[in-house]
């Protein structure tokens, strides 16, 4: 079989892509560390599903040659951030084409690397990685594509110029003449609209060509820059006549820029669409709920089981709905195989002696206060009581905190300390350097996937969709996709209030409900009513995996966003 890197340049340049998809991070391959979390993994899943569906698209992102960061955690729970060591030319091919972008009055050379994603029928989707670490650029400019979300505001602004302006120029320079839509995955690439505006000279003409997906449910989360800084960095590419539409409090707001220039805008779950409409009144904001790439997230044992019981599940994940017909024992056997793989990994790496048969919960995501990673262990006494009276408990954590998120780092310390002091028959482990490989093992190998965001802060969330693909039910606050995906006792369980209009999550009420349900519903069902437990597992696949996948998601983008 030909490896993707051997595909010749001409094979995709001869094609005629219609969509250019821009994302600050793309997690396209578990060995390419140019992503930090959900946004990048979604971008990777999106492009993989495009390749499977023969959707004529190209991806554009930054090289981020030192990744986000490699995470170590010392014995006190202190996160240590190291540059990712990544041999770019083992995975990506350089192109002879370069473009330049103007930053602060300097011409900065941008080199382009590419990677090819091969779909299930051999269809090729190229992904371009922009790189300024090029001879001829000055030292600071050479550093701009090293660290994803690194540096200060000015560094970030420069990165967004490279992604947006450099990205659009790269697409044109590479000879793609038939791009109908420029799709911005989050506002980071919105400066690309300015390049298009320079070319087409009308807001309307640009709007015809732009699609914008917003991922941020809180006002403070939207990317914004001091207007004077933006002016000095972008120069005359920033037209005075649109400033009032895109600035707020003398700050240039990237979401407003993207909104102004896009005639299709969407949030990433129904609730998130609602929240976005309230945040940006006057814009039509649609909803396409996220998904995950089915093949990528199904573990090997389920892969074999699905092959045997539901042929065509890979090319058509809707077929997964017939999982209802699979024998329960087969589901359980596949799960236990995935679980043993995870437990073996954890025991081997951390020497903790976790047990294959004990009830195991997983929590892995960016560590930041709104996700309340420590809610699950916030009452150790209660947890010990449950584990002693109902059945033993194991908990597996993973996740990075952004280097400047000091509250997030404190949460890691808290978890490490709880891990060392919890006692009883509870075992807790924290896997360092959460990435796609660990994510895949974890979402498939635990018995229950736990998620505790404060509502409505989680735009969608996707890891629970990965667990659903492996028959692992989710236990989560009703936020993001879970509002759509949860059927109580059938696909998992809700934590806390179900009132959809509640302003703010109540930590105490959520904690109580979390422990009550673990004690009275979930863990007893796991230990004492295995047959019904497996029924729940099976309906996660049939009801949720068959829908919350990026094949369905991309079909909605094509129908609603691209060909409108
Ligand atoms: C899926 C994934 C995420 C996003 O998960 P959420 O549920 O959206 O928090 C983050 N990091 C990695 C490595 C993932 O695989």
């Amino acid at each position: 079989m030909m490896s993707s890197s051997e595909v010749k340049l001409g094979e995709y340049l001869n094609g005629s892509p219609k969509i250019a998809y821009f994302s600050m991070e793309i997690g396209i391959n578990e060995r390419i560390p140019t992503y930090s979390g959900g946004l990048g993994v979604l971008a990777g899943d999106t492009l993989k599903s495009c390749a499977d569906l023969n959707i004529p698209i190209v991806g554009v992102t930054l090289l981020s040659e030192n990744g986000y960061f490699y995470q170590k955690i010392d014995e006190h729970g202190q996160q240590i951030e190291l540059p990712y060591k990544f041999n770019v030319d083992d995975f990506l091919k350089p192109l002879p084409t370069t473009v330049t972008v103007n930053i602060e009055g300097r011409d900065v050379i941008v080199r382009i690397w590419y990677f090819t994603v091969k779909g299930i029928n051999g269809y090729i989707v190229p992904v371009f990685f922009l790189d300024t670490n090029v001879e001829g650029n000055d030292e600071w400019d050479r550093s701009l594509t090293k660290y994803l979300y690194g540096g200060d505001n000015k560094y970030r602004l420069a990165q967004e110029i490279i992604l947006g302006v450099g990205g659009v120029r790269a697409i044109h320079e590479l000879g793609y003449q038939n791009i109908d839509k420029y799709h911005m995955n989050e506002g980071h690439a919105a400066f690309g609209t300015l390049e298009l505006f320079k070319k087409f000279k009308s807001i309307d003409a640009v709007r015809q060509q732009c699609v914008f997906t917003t991922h941020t449910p809180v006002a403070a989360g939207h990317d914004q820059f001091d207007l004077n800084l933006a002016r000095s960095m972008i120069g005359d590419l920033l037209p005075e006549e649109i400033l009032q539409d895109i600035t707020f409090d003398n700050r240039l707001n990237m979401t407003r820029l993207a909104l102004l220039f896009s005639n299709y805008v969407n949030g990433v779950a129904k609730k998130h669409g609602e929240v976005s409409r309230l945040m940006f009144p006057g814009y039509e904001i649609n909803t396409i709920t996220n998904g995950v790439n089915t093949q990528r997230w199904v573990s090997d044992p389920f892969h074999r089981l699905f092959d045997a019981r539901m042929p065509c599940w890979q090319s058509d994940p809707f077929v997964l709905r017939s999982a209802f017909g699979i024998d329960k024992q087969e589901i359980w056997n596949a799960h236990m195989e995935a679980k043993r793989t995870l437990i073996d990994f954890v025991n081997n790496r951390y020497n903790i002696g976790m047990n294959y048969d004990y009830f195991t919960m997983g929590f892995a995501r960016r560590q930041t206060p709104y996700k309340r990673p420590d809610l699950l262990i916030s009452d150790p006494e209660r947890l010990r009581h449950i584990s002693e009276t109902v059945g033993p408990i194991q908990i597996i954590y993973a996740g990075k905190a952004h280097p400047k998120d000091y509250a997030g780092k404190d949460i890691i310390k808290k978890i490490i300390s709880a891990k060392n002091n919890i006692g009883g028959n509870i075992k807790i482990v924290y896997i360092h350097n959460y990435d796609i490989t660990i994510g895949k093992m974890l979402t498939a190998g635990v018995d229950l996937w736990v998620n505790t965001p404060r509502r409505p802060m989680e735009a969608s969330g996707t890891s629970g969709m990965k667990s659903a693909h492996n028959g692992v039910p989710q236990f989560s606050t009703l936020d993001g996709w879970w509002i759509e995906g949860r059927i109580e006792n059938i696909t998992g369980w809700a934590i806390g209030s179900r009132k959809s209009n509640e302003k703010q999550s109540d930590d105490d009420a959520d904690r109580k409900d979390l422990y009550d349900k673990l004690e009275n519903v979930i863990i007893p069902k796991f230990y004492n009513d295995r047959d019904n437990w497996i029924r729940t597992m099976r309906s996660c696949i049939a009801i949720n995996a068959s829908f919350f996948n990026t094949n369905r998601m991309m079909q909605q983008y094509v129908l609603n966003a691209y060909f409108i």
Side-chain angles (χ1 to χ4, degrees), residues 35-39 41-42 292 297 364-366 371 434-440 443 449 451 458 460-464 466 474 481:
Y35 64 93
S36 83
L39 187 75
V41 174
L42 174 78
V292 297
W297 295 105
R365 47 189 47 84
R366 183 158 54 89
K371 298 194 182 228
Y434 182 39
D435 64 4
I436 290 173
T437 306
I438 289 168
K440 185 165 173 178
T443 51
W449 193 246
N451 190 21
E458 182 101 304
S460 164
T462 52
S463 55
K466 300 166 191 169
Q474 184 173 247
W481 82 280

